[in-house]
Amino acid sequence: MIVVKVGGSAGIDYDAVCADLAARWKAGEKLILVHGGSGETNRVAEALGHPPRFVTSPSGYTSRFTDRQTLEIFEMVYCGKINKGIVERLQRLGVNAVGLSGLDGRIFEGRHKDSVRAVENGKTRVLRGDHTGTVEKVNTGLIELLLTAGYLPVLTPPASSYEGVAINVDGDRAAAALAVALKAEALLLLSNVPGLLRAYPDEASLIRQIPADDVEAYLEFAQDRMKKKVLGAAEAVAGGVRRVIFGDARAGQPITAALDGAGTVVS
């Protein structure tokens, strides 16, 4: 079992990811795709007159502040345009893909955080009305049912809170939780950079290898959203996933290249 997470930033080649995924699926591999959609969500939110708001926590992590209107835009893009666009690509390639959000069947579950602490102008504030959380539980029954029946699951946030409320969760950490729950052999975190860079954005500074027992020590090299990927990698290897690879989704055969050792390998 291989869990592949592909981001939603500019430059990602979804055609290349889907073509590689389809070839490996047809060769008999079991894969699950988890995707994001942040770039397109930002564009749509701007067009709808409700621009995105990003906040930074006191510990330095950046996330989207998700009020109810933002959540609805988020669902429209992630669960609609991006998810069905990927499913369509895979169907055209002969793969019987099924697109679901973590809300469906409560695949991803976690606690609803109504408020978030954010640092603004050097001061810590508490912002209320947030619809975010962290995946604490993965319900694998529906996923296993689909895989057994020959369907390739294509998953995306949001998740469900324990009360059944939709919550925005980080896709990389959700993918890590999924990989742990399914006892995956590998977790691939594909984005628009070749891996974790020691001196971002210098791609020549790529870090090739990270020891599994020392992942969090590399957080200092992670910029912005890459911090969540490193955190997700730490959670995955701690949960028993044999290797996590930060790979490049911009061209070529992204999945095959990552499994062959391109990018940053955590093992």
Side-chain angles (χ1 to χ4, degrees), residues 70-102:
T70 297
L71 178 68
E72 291 171 0
I73 295 169
F74 176 93
E75 290 176 321
M76 180 171 64
V77 177
Y78 275 64
C79 308
K81 183 175 182 180
I82 304 294
N83 187 267
K84 297 316 165 197
I86 290 173
V87 169
E88 181 187 12
R89 284 177 175 88
L90 290 169
Q91 291 289 356
R92 289 173 64 186
L93 292 165
V95 175
N96 206 358
V98 174
L100 296 168
S101 77

PDB file of all heavy atoms in Angstrom, residues 70-102:
ATOM      1  N   THR A  70     -15.571  30.765   4.268  1.00  0.00           N
ATOM      2  CA  THR A  70     -14.332  30.204   3.719  1.00  0.00           C
ATOM      3  C   THR A  70     -14.451  28.691   3.600  1.00  0.00           C
ATOM      4  O   THR A  70     -13.996  28.098   2.609  1.00  0.00           O
ATOM      5  CB  THR A  70     -13.134  30.573   4.620  1.00  0.00           C
ATOM      6  OG1 THR A  70     -12.983  31.985   4.630  1.00  0.00           O
ATOM      7  CG2 THR A  70     -11.851  29.935   4.116  1.00  0.00           C
ATOM      8  N   LEU A  71     -15.056  28.031   4.592  1.00  0.00           N
ATOM      9  CA  LEU A  71     -15.242  26.584   4.552  1.00  0.00           C
ATOM     10  C   LEU A  71     -16.069  26.177   3.332  1.00  0.00           C
ATOM     11  O   LEU A  71     -15.756  25.187   2.646  1.00  0.00           O
ATOM     12  CB  LEU A  71     -15.922  26.095   5.832  1.00  0.00           C
ATOM     13  CG  LEU A  71     -16.211  24.593   5.893  1.00  0.00           C
ATOM     14  CD1 LEU A  71     -14.913  23.797   5.971  1.00  0.00           C
ATOM     15  CD2 LEU A  71     -17.108  24.260   7.080  1.00  0.00           C
ATOM     16  N   GLU A  72     -17.109  26.951   3.032  1.00  0.00           N
ATOM     17  CA  GLU A  72     -17.957  26.623   1.887  1.00  0.00           C
ATOM     18  C   GLU A  72     -17.209  26.786   0.568  1.00  0.00           C
ATOM     19  O   GLU A  72     -17.374  25.983  -0.355  1.00  0.00           O
ATOM     20  CB  GLU A  72     -19.227  27.472   1.932  1.00  0.00           C
ATOM     21  CG  GLU A  72     -20.145  27.075   3.091  1.00  0.00           C
ATOM     22  CD  GLU A  72     -21.309  28.031   3.297  1.00  0.00           C
ATOM     23  OE1 GLU A  72     -21.419  29.025   2.530  1.00  0.00           O
ATOM     24  OE2 GLU A  72     -22.103  27.788   4.230  1.00  0.00           O
ATOM     25  N   ILE A  73     -16.367  27.809   0.470  1.00  0.00           N
ATOM     26  CA  ILE A  73     -15.532  27.991  -0.721  1.00  0.00           C
ATOM     27  C   ILE A  73     -14.517  26.853  -0.817  1.00  0.00           C
ATOM     28  O   ILE A  73     -14.295  26.277  -1.889  1.00  0.00           O
ATOM     29  CB  ILE A  73     -14.818  29.356  -0.687  1.00  0.00           C
ATOM     30  CG1 ILE A  73     -15.842  30.489  -0.754  1.00  0.00           C
ATOM     31  CG2 ILE A  73     -13.809  29.473  -1.840  1.00  0.00           C
ATOM     32  CD1 ILE A  73     -15.255  31.870  -0.472  1.00  0.00           C
ATOM     33  N   PHE A  74     -13.926  26.521   0.315  1.00  0.00           N
ATOM     34  CA  PHE A  74     -12.966  25.423   0.415  1.00  0.00           C
ATOM     35  C   PHE A  74     -13.586  24.119  -0.094  1.00  0.00           C
ATOM     36  O   PHE A  74     -12.996  23.396  -0.915  1.00  0.00           O
ATOM     37  CB  PHE A  74     -12.542  25.313   1.880  1.00  0.00           C
ATOM     38  CG  PHE A  74     -11.628  24.177   2.228  1.00  0.00           C
ATOM     39  CD1 PHE A  74     -10.258  24.346   2.223  1.00  0.00           C
ATOM     40  CD2 PHE A  74     -12.143  22.933   2.594  1.00  0.00           C
ATOM     41  CE1 PHE A  74      -9.409  23.298   2.568  1.00  0.00           C
ATOM     42  CE2 PHE A  74     -11.309  21.893   2.940  1.00  0.00           C
ATOM     43  CZ  PHE A  74      -9.939  22.073   2.915  1.00  0.00           C
ATOM     44  N   GLU A  75     -14.790  23.795   0.366  1.00  0.00           N
ATOM     45  CA  GLU A  75     -15.470  22.568  -0.061  1.00  0.00           C
ATOM     46  C   GLU A  75     -15.776  22.608  -1.551  1.00  0.00           C
ATOM     47  O   GLU A  75     -15.637  21.589  -2.252  1.00  0.00           O
ATOM     48  CB  GLU A  75     -16.766  22.384   0.745  1.00  0.00           C
ATOM     49  CG  GLU A  75     -16.538  22.028   2.193  1.00  0.00           C
ATOM     50  CD  GLU A  75     -17.836  21.942   2.973  1.00  0.00           C
ATOM     51  OE1 GLU A  75     -18.747  22.767   2.742  1.00  0.00           O
ATOM     52  OE2 GLU A  75     -17.940  21.057   3.838  1.00  0.00           O
ATOM     53  N   MET A  76     -16.206  23.751  -2.034  1.00  0.00           N
ATOM     54  CA  MET A  76     -16.540  23.889  -3.453  1.00  0.00           C
ATOM     55  C   MET A  76     -15.334  23.566  -4.334  1.00  0.00           C
ATOM     56  O   MET A  76     -15.455  22.880  -5.348  1.00  0.00           O
ATOM     57  CB  MET A  76     -17.029  25.320  -3.721  1.00  0.00           C
ATOM     58  CG  MET A  76     -17.422  25.597  -5.161  1.00  0.00           C
ATOM     59  SD  MET A  76     -18.234  27.202  -5.321  1.00  0.00           S
ATOM     60  CE  MET A  76     -16.927  28.321  -4.852  1.00  0.00           C
ATOM     61  N   VAL A  77     -14.166  24.043  -3.936  1.00  0.00           N
ATOM     62  CA  VAL A  77     -12.958  23.846  -4.754  1.00  0.00           C
ATOM     63  C   VAL A  77     -12.348  22.473  -4.519  1.00  0.00           C
ATOM     64  O   VAL A  77     -12.102  21.714  -5.460  1.00  0.00           O
ATOM     65  CB  VAL A  77     -11.922  24.952  -4.467  1.00  0.00           C
ATOM     66  CG1 VAL A  77     -10.642  24.697  -5.253  1.00  0.00           C
ATOM     67  CG2 VAL A  77     -12.494  26.320  -4.829  1.00  0.00           C
ATOM     68  N   TYR A  78     -12.100  22.133  -3.265  1.00  0.00           N
ATOM     69  CA  TYR A  78     -11.447  20.849  -2.961  1.00  0.00           C
ATOM     70  C   TYR A  78     -12.319  19.661  -3.361  1.00  0.00           C
ATOM     71  O   TYR A  78     -11.858  18.749  -4.057  1.00  0.00           O
ATOM     72  CB  TYR A  78     -11.156  20.747  -1.459  1.00  0.00           C
ATOM     73  CG  TYR A  78      -9.857  21.379  -1.006  1.00  0.00           C
ATOM     74  CD1 TYR A  78      -9.637  22.752  -1.109  1.00  0.00           C
ATOM     75  CD2 TYR A  78      -8.851  20.619  -0.416  1.00  0.00           C
ATOM     76  CE1 TYR A  78      -8.461  23.337  -0.661  1.00  0.00           C
ATOM     77  CE2 TYR A  78      -7.672  21.188   0.034  1.00  0.00           C
ATOM     78  CZ  TYR A  78      -7.479  22.552  -0.096  1.00  0.00           C
ATOM     79  OH  TYR A  78      -6.315  23.127   0.343  1.00  0.00           O
ATOM     80  N   CYS A  79     -13.575  19.650  -2.877  1.00  0.00           N
ATOM     81  CA  CYS A  79     -14.453  18.499  -3.105  1.00  0.00           C
ATOM     82  C   CYS A  79     -15.071  18.505  -4.500  1.00  0.00           C
ATOM     83  O   CYS A  79     -15.474  17.457  -5.010  1.00  0.00           O
ATOM     84  CB  CYS A  79     -15.577  18.470  -2.075  1.00  0.00           C
ATOM     85  SG  CYS A  79     -15.017  18.578  -0.378  1.00  0.00           S
ATOM     86  N   GLY A  80     -15.157  19.691  -5.091  1.00  0.00           N
ATOM     87  CA  GLY A  80     -15.747  19.817  -6.412  1.00  0.00           C
ATOM     88  C   GLY A  80     -14.714  19.863  -7.516  1.00  0.00           C
ATOM     89  O   GLY A  80     -14.325  18.837  -8.070  1.00  0.00           O
ATOM     90  N   LYS A  81     -14.230  21.044  -7.818  1.00  0.00           N
ATOM     91  CA  LYS A  81     -13.375  21.237  -8.995  1.00  0.00           C
ATOM     92  C   LYS A  81     -12.124  20.371  -8.989  1.00  0.00           C
ATOM     93  O   LYS A  81     -11.841  19.665  -9.967  1.00  0.00           O
ATOM     94  CB  LYS A  81     -12.988  22.714  -9.121  1.00  0.00           C
ATOM     95  CG  LYS A  81     -12.160  22.988 -10.372  1.00  0.00           C
ATOM     96  CD  LYS A  81     -11.876  24.463 -10.559  1.00  0.00           C
ATOM     97  CE  LYS A  81     -11.089  24.677 -11.859  1.00  0.00           C
ATOM     98  NZ  LYS A  81     -10.783  26.098 -12.076  1.00  0.00           N
ATOM     99  N   ILE A  82     -11.350  20.414  -7.910  1.00  0.00           N
ATOM    100  CA  ILE A  82     -10.086  19.676  -7.895  1.00  0.00           C
ATOM    101  C   ILE A  82     -10.323  18.171  -7.835  1.00  0.00           C
ATOM    102  O   ILE A  82      -9.762  17.403  -8.625  1.00  0.00           O
ATOM    103  CB  ILE A  82      -9.191  20.117  -6.711  1.00  0.00           C
ATOM    104  CG1 ILE A  82      -8.940  21.628  -6.748  1.00  0.00           C
ATOM    105  CG2 ILE A  82      -7.875  19.351  -6.741  1.00  0.00           C
ATOM    106  CD1 ILE A  82      -8.130  22.106  -7.923  1.00  0.00           C
ATOM    107  N   ASN A  83     -11.180  17.739  -6.915  1.00  0.00           N
ATOM    108  CA  ASN A  83     -11.409  16.304  -6.744  1.00  0.00           C
ATOM    109  C   ASN A  83     -11.972  15.677  -8.011  1.00  0.00           C
ATOM    110  O   ASN A  83     -11.467  14.643  -8.491  1.00  0.00           O
ATOM    111  CB  ASN A  83     -12.347  16.067  -5.557  1.00  0.00           C
ATOM    112  CG  ASN A  83     -12.485  14.595  -5.211  1.00  0.00           C
ATOM    113  OD1 ASN A  83     -13.392  13.919  -5.695  1.00  0.00           O
ATOM    114  ND2 ASN A  83     -11.600  14.092  -4.368  1.00  0.00           N
ATOM    115  N   LYS A  84     -12.995  16.288  -8.578  1.00  0.00           N
ATOM    116  CA  LYS A  84     -13.614  15.683  -9.757  1.00  0.00           C
ATOM    117  C   LYS A  84     -12.722  15.830 -10.995  1.00  0.00           C
ATOM    118  O   LYS A  84     -12.773  14.995 -11.908  1.00  0.00           O
ATOM    119  CB  LYS A  84     -14.999  16.294 -10.017  1.00  0.00           C
ATOM    120  CG  LYS A  84     -15.981  16.034  -8.882  1.00  0.00           C
ATOM    121  CD  LYS A  84     -15.926  14.577  -8.382  1.00  0.00           C
ATOM    122  CE  LYS A  84     -16.608  14.413  -7.048  1.00  0.00           C
ATOM    123  NZ  LYS A  84     -16.222  13.147  -6.371  1.00  0.00           N
ATOM    124  N   GLY A  85     -11.884  16.867 -11.015  1.00  0.00           N
ATOM    125  CA  GLY A  85     -10.920  16.984 -12.111  1.00  0.00           C
ATOM    126  C   GLY A  85      -9.919  15.844 -12.094  1.00  0.00           C
ATOM    127  O   GLY A  85      -9.547  15.298 -13.152  1.00  0.00           O
ATOM    128  N   ILE A  86      -9.466  15.452 -10.895  1.00  0.00           N
ATOM    129  CA  ILE A  86      -8.534  14.327 -10.772  1.00  0.00           C
ATOM    130  C   ILE A  86      -9.231  13.012 -11.103  1.00  0.00           C
ATOM    131  O   ILE A  86      -8.687  12.169 -11.826  1.00  0.00           O
ATOM    132  CB  ILE A  86      -7.926  14.292  -9.354  1.00  0.00           C
ATOM    133  CG1 ILE A  86      -6.974  15.475  -9.161  1.00  0.00           C
ATOM    134  CG2 ILE A  86      -7.195  12.973  -9.100  1.00  0.00           C
ATOM    135  CD1 ILE A  86      -6.454  15.641  -7.743  1.00  0.00           C
ATOM    136  N   VAL A  87     -10.447  12.826 -10.602  1.00  0.00           N
ATOM    137  CA  VAL A  87     -11.201  11.606 -10.895  1.00  0.00           C
ATOM    138  C   VAL A  87     -11.425  11.474 -12.403  1.00  0.00           C
ATOM    139  O   VAL A  87     -11.268  10.385 -12.972  1.00  0.00           O
ATOM    140  CB  VAL A  87     -12.545  11.599 -10.127  1.00  0.00           C
ATOM    141  CG1 VAL A  87     -13.451  10.477 -10.641  1.00  0.00           C
ATOM    142  CG2 VAL A  87     -12.304  11.435  -8.631  1.00  0.00           C
ATOM    143  N   GLU A  88     -11.766  12.575 -13.059  1.00  0.00           N
ATOM    144  CA  GLU A  88     -11.972  12.537 -14.512  1.00  0.00           C
ATOM    145  C   GLU A  88     -10.693  12.127 -15.240  1.00  0.00           C
ATOM    146  O   GLU A  88     -10.718  11.295 -16.157  1.00  0.00           O
ATOM    147  CB  GLU A  88     -12.438  13.897 -15.024  1.00  0.00           C
ATOM    148  CG  GLU A  88     -12.681  13.905 -16.530  1.00  0.00           C
ATOM    149  CD  GLU A  88     -12.988  15.293 -17.069  1.00  0.00           C
ATOM    150  OE1 GLU A  88     -12.805  16.290 -16.344  1.00  0.00           O
ATOM    151  OE2 GLU A  88     -13.388  15.370 -18.247  1.00  0.00           O
ATOM    152  N   ARG A  89      -9.557  12.690 -14.834  1.00  0.00           N
ATOM    153  CA  ARG A  89      -8.285  12.319 -15.450  1.00  0.00           C
ATOM    154  C   ARG A  89      -8.038  10.818 -15.330  1.00  0.00           C
ATOM    155  O   ARG A  89      -7.646  10.147 -16.291  1.00  0.00           O
ATOM    156  CB  ARG A  89      -7.129  13.079 -14.788  1.00  0.00           C
ATOM    157  CG  ARG A  89      -6.997  14.540 -15.180  1.00  0.00           C
ATOM    158  CD  ARG A  89      -5.849  15.174 -14.377  1.00  0.00           C
ATOM    159  NE  ARG A  89      -5.559  16.537 -14.770  1.00  0.00           N
ATOM    160  CZ  ARG A  89      -6.141  17.613 -14.261  1.00  0.00           C
ATOM    161  NH1 ARG A  89      -7.080  17.466 -13.317  1.00  0.00           N
ATOM    162  NH2 ARG A  89      -5.808  18.819 -14.665  1.00  0.00           N
ATOM    163  N   LEU A  90      -8.260  10.282 -14.131  1.00  0.00           N
ATOM    164  CA  LEU A  90      -8.011   8.861 -13.900  1.00  0.00           C
ATOM    165  C   LEU A  90      -8.997   7.984 -14.669  1.00  0.00           C
ATOM    166  O   LEU A  90      -8.624   6.930 -15.205  1.00  0.00           O
ATOM    167  CB  LEU A  90      -8.067   8.559 -12.397  1.00  0.00           C
ATOM    168  CG  LEU A  90      -6.902   9.140 -11.584  1.00  0.00           C
ATOM    169  CD1 LEU A  90      -7.182   9.025 -10.086  1.00  0.00           C
ATOM    170  CD2 LEU A  90      -5.587   8.442 -11.937  1.00  0.00           C
ATOM    171  N   GLN A  91     -10.256   8.414 -14.734  1.00  0.00           N
ATOM    172  CA  GLN A  91     -11.234   7.648 -15.509  1.00  0.00           C
ATOM    173  C   GLN A  91     -10.845   7.597 -16.991  1.00  0.00           C
ATOM    174  O   GLN A  91     -10.951   6.553 -17.644  1.00  0.00           O
ATOM    175  CB  GLN A  91     -12.637   8.255 -15.344  1.00  0.00           C
ATOM    176  CG  GLN A  91     -13.245   8.104 -13.960  1.00  0.00           C
ATOM    177  CD  GLN A  91     -13.663   6.669 -13.640  1.00  0.00           C
ATOM    178  OE1 GLN A  91     -13.571   5.773 -14.460  1.00  0.00           O
ATOM    179  NE2 GLN A  91     -14.113   6.455 -12.408  1.00  0.00           N
ATOM    180  N   ARG A  92     -10.353   8.698 -17.519  1.00  0.00           N
ATOM    181  CA  ARG A  92      -9.925   8.735 -18.919  1.00  0.00           C
ATOM    182  C   ARG A  92      -8.718   7.835 -19.156  1.00  0.00           C
ATOM    183  O   ARG A  92      -8.478   7.371 -20.264  1.00  0.00           O
ATOM    184  CB  ARG A  92      -9.611  10.169 -19.327  1.00  0.00           C
ATOM    185  CG  ARG A  92     -10.860  11.049 -19.452  1.00  0.00           C
ATOM    186  CD  ARG A  92     -10.505  12.502 -19.688  1.00  0.00           C
ATOM    187  NE  ARG A  92      -9.829  12.690 -20.959  1.00  0.00           N
ATOM    188  CZ  ARG A  92      -9.311  13.854 -21.356  1.00  0.00           C
ATOM    189  NH1 ARG A  92      -9.398  14.910 -20.563  1.00  0.00           N
ATOM    190  NH2 ARG A  92      -8.729  13.963 -22.522  1.00  0.00           N
ATOM    191  N   LEU A  93      -7.952   7.584 -18.080  1.00  0.00           N
ATOM    192  CA  LEU A  93      -6.779   6.705 -18.171  1.00  0.00           C
ATOM    193  C   LEU A  93      -7.127   5.252 -17.851  1.00  0.00           C
ATOM    194  O   LEU A  93      -6.246   4.397 -17.754  1.00  0.00           O
ATOM    195  CB  LEU A  93      -5.688   7.202 -17.219  1.00  0.00           C
ATOM    196  CG  LEU A  93      -5.041   8.544 -17.594  1.00  0.00           C
ATOM    197  CD1 LEU A  93      -4.264   9.122 -16.415  1.00  0.00           C
ATOM    198  CD2 LEU A  93      -4.133   8.377 -18.816  1.00  0.00           C
ATOM    199  N   GLY A  94      -8.419   4.988 -17.687  1.00  0.00           N
ATOM    200  CA  GLY A  94      -8.854   3.611 -17.473  1.00  0.00           C
ATOM    201  C   GLY A  94      -8.827   3.134 -16.037  1.00  0.00           C
ATOM    202  O   GLY A  94      -8.865   1.931 -15.775  1.00  0.00           O
ATOM    203  N   VAL A  95      -8.764   4.074 -15.092  1.00  0.00           N
ATOM    204  CA  VAL A  95      -8.754   3.717 -13.673  1.00  0.00           C
ATOM    205  C   VAL A  95     -10.106   4.099 -13.066  1.00  0.00           C
ATOM    206  O   VAL A  95     -10.538   5.246 -13.184  1.00  0.00           O
ATOM    207  CB  VAL A  95      -7.615   4.444 -12.922  1.00  0.00           C
ATOM    208  CG1 VAL A  95      -7.697   4.159 -11.426  1.00  0.00           C
ATOM    209  CG2 VAL A  95      -6.259   4.024 -13.469  1.00  0.00           C
ATOM    210  N   ASN A  96     -10.743   3.152 -12.408  1.00  0.00           N
ATOM    211  CA  ASN A  96     -12.063   3.415 -11.840  1.00  0.00           C
ATOM    212  C   ASN A  96     -11.901   4.089 -10.476  1.00  0.00           C
ATOM    213  O   ASN A  96     -11.941   3.449  -9.424  1.00  0.00           O
ATOM    214  CB  ASN A  96     -12.867   2.122 -11.724  1.00  0.00           C
ATOM    215  CG  ASN A  96     -14.368   2.377 -11.757  1.00  0.00           C
ATOM    216  OD1 ASN A  96     -14.805   3.527 -11.831  1.00  0.00           O
ATOM    217  ND2 ASN A  96     -15.141   1.321 -11.711  1.00  0.00           N
ATOM    218  N   ALA A  97     -11.698   5.389 -10.512  1.00  0.00           N
ATOM    219  CA  ALA A  97     -11.450   6.177  -9.305  1.00  0.00           C
ATOM    220  C   ALA A  97     -12.759   6.653  -8.693  1.00  0.00           C
ATOM    221  O   ALA A  97     -13.743   6.901  -9.397  1.00  0.00           O
ATOM    222  CB  ALA A  97     -10.569   7.376  -9.638  1.00  0.00           C
ATOM    223  N   VAL A  98     -12.745   6.793  -7.372  1.00  0.00           N
ATOM    224  CA  VAL A  98     -13.885   7.324  -6.634  1.00  0.00           C
ATOM    225  C   VAL A  98     -13.389   8.484  -5.770  1.00  0.00           C
ATOM    226  O   VAL A  98     -12.479   8.308  -4.958  1.00  0.00           O
ATOM    227  CB  VAL A  98     -14.532   6.250  -5.735  1.00  0.00           C
ATOM    228  CG1 VAL A  98     -15.629   6.862  -4.857  1.00  0.00           C
ATOM    229  CG2 VAL A  98     -15.113   5.132  -6.581  1.00  0.00           C
ATOM    230  N   GLY A  99     -13.980   9.647  -5.945  1.00  0.00           N
ATOM    231  CA  GLY A  99     -13.567  10.827  -5.195  1.00  0.00           C
ATOM    232  C   GLY A  99     -14.431  11.060  -3.968  1.00  0.00           C
ATOM    233  O   GLY A  99     -15.661  11.089  -4.074  1.00  0.00           O
ATOM    234  N   LEU A 100     -13.790  11.205  -2.823  1.00  0.00           N
ATOM    235  CA  LEU A 100     -14.499  11.421  -1.563  1.00  0.00           C
ATOM    236  C   LEU A 100     -13.766  12.446  -0.716  1.00  0.00           C
ATOM    237  O   LEU A 100     -12.541  12.581  -0.808  1.00  0.00           O
ATOM    238  CB  LEU A 100     -14.587  10.114  -0.765  1.00  0.00           C
ATOM    239  CG  LEU A 100     -15.384   8.958  -1.365  1.00  0.00           C
ATOM    240  CD1 LEU A 100     -15.103   7.684  -0.576  1.00  0.00           C
ATOM    241  CD2 LEU A 100     -16.875   9.264  -1.360  1.00  0.00           C
ATOM    242  N   SER A 101     -14.510  13.138   0.125  1.00  0.00           N
ATOM    243  CA  SER A 101     -13.862  13.981   1.133  1.00  0.00           C
ATOM    244  C   SER A 101     -13.734  13.186   2.420  1.00  0.00           C
ATOM    245  O   SER A 101     -14.366  12.127   2.588  1.00  0.00           O
ATOM    246  CB  SER A 101     -14.680  15.248   1.388  1.00  0.00           C
ATOM    247  OG  SER A 101     -15.800  14.960   2.208  1.00  0.00           O
ATOM    248  N   GLY A 102     -12.950  13.689   3.344  1.00  0.00           N
ATOM    249  CA  GLY A 102     -12.823  13.040   4.640  1.00  0.00           C
ATOM    250  C   GLY A 102     -14.101  13.091   5.442  1.00  0.00           C
ATOM    251  O   GLY A 102     -14.269  12.354   6.427  1.00  0.00           O
TER     252      GLY A 102
END
